[in-house]
Amino acid sequence: MTDKTHLFEYLLRLGDNALVLGQRLGEWVAHGPELEEEMAMANFALDYIGQARLFLSYAGEVEGQRRDEDQLAFLRDSIDFKNVLLVEQPNGDFGQTIARQFLYESFYQFQLEGLSRSTDTRIAEIAERVSKEIRYHLRHTRKWVLRLGDGTDESHKRIQNSFDELWRFSGELFVADETDNWAVEHGIGPNPETLSSRWNQFVGAALTEATLIQPDDGWMDGGGRYGRHSEHLGYLLADMQFLQRAYPAASW
Amino acid sequence: MKKEDWPLFEIFIRSRSGLSHRHVGSLHAADASMALDHARDLYTRRGEGVSLWAVESRNIAASDPAESSALFEPAEDKIYRHPTFYEVPEGVENL
């Protein structure tokens, strides 16, 4: 693979993670447990869609096939999506959304820290800006982990289940493959394997404070980055892409 | 947590350094820390401020509208309390 195809792949992964998680969070609109919390979710969703635009429009430029951010977002099939499995998992109850959000963003913050030192100045600039958004998300999400974990018996039980349920998707975040190795070699981004101990520490500290038990690392799911997705992504894309598929090039 | 458990908070924003905090609205939150988070999401999305205050509404003592005549009307006929008898020197802007 050439540098160009590696970089395109790398940007797609970053963009697709943001896009899919943004779409998921957007599903809370009109379903939130509280008006205020719904606004928070919608804000997070918009932050992610904004990030997806930055990464995907850059990806389109790198690819040089005259595909823009919209075409990459709305006209690819699920097998061409390179997001990790964690971000496509369904919202479930509010606690499950918080658990998913916390596991992912705990990783994302360290990834962004590495990306902000990228030799690719455009990636470095995007990461710098995005870091501020994620710092706030995490502050909010972490507090919810504590509230729900150390809350009522019911909230404790539910969010513990969610962490147990979602844990098997955390392994994929830290597996370095050919593209990651290329990125490390060229100073584009961090080696995901090196992020795992900090992630474990960060997540573990919050879980302990929330009186929750950190699940054991058992069998880990994976394959999202190669287009092998869970059944949930298809439904998500059907929702998200319907309009552009039914009315190609529609705009307003 | 039941919905009625969430108290109401009043939100104040300082729009820039040097100005005082102004009341902008109210919201529900489980505690003060969450109230600040929500205030950030509801009231400062367009760069409205540099500082936030959240005060639980029940901690605010308010005057009784029925007593407004006793409280405020005696001031109306005391025009000498208003600084209208002074000439404002030229060039003074914020008086």
Side-chain angles (χ1 to χ4, degrees), chain A residues 61-79:
Chain A
E61 288 168 37
V62 169
E63 187 195 29
Q65 303 281 334
R66 313 180 69 167
R67 286 204 281 181
D68 63 13
E69 63 199 48
D70 287 332
Q71 282 160 324
L72 287 172
F74 297 120
L75 298 178
R76 275 180 304 147
D77 288 329
S78 76
I79 194 162

Side-chain angles (χ1 to χ4, degrees), chain A residues 64-112:
Chain A
Q65 303 281 334
R66 313 180 69 167
R67 286 204 281 181
D68 63 13
E69 63 199 48
D70 287 332
Q71 282 160 324
L72 287 172
F74 297 120
L75 298 178
R76 275 180 304 147
D77 288 329
S78 76
I79 194 162
D80 297 318
F81 269 76
K82 305 301 171 73
N83 58 281
V84 292
L85 297 178
L86 179 62
V87 296
E88 74 197 38
Q89 297 311 306
N91 285 338
D93 58 20
F94 183 71
Q96 185 166 326
T97 295
I98 291 294
R100 184 189 65 205
Q101 196 69 5
F102 185 67
L103 292 177
Y104 180 68
E105 293 194 322
S106 300
F107 157 78
Y108 197 25
Q109 64 172 342
F110 296 128
Q111 186 187 36
L112 287 168

Side-chain angles (χ1 to χ4, degrees), chain B residues 61-80:
Chain B
S63 62
D64 181 356
E67 284 186 86
S68 66
S69 61
L71 284 169
F72 308 119
E73 273 177 25
E76 277 173 14
D77 56 5
K78 298 180 177 60
I79 54 169
Y80 48 86

Side-chain angles (χ1 to χ4, degrees), chain A residues 84-87 103-104 107 163-177 180 191-197 199-200 203 214-226:
Chain A
V84 292
L85 297 178
L86 179 62
V87 296
L103 292 177
Y104 180 68
F107 157 78
F163 277 113
D164 294 346
E165 214 25 58
L166 292 171
W167 199 258
R168 71 177 190 277
F169 299 111
S170 65
E172 189 182 14
L173 301 170
F174 305 104
V175 178
D177 67 0
D180 292 305
N191 182 346
E193 284 168 7
T194 62
L195 306 179
S196 103
S197 66
W199 179 86
N200 261 295
V203 170
Q214 182 164 345
D216 293 328
D217 287 343
W219 174 77
M220 291 291 183
D221 214 336
R225 294 183 298 174
Y226 311 111

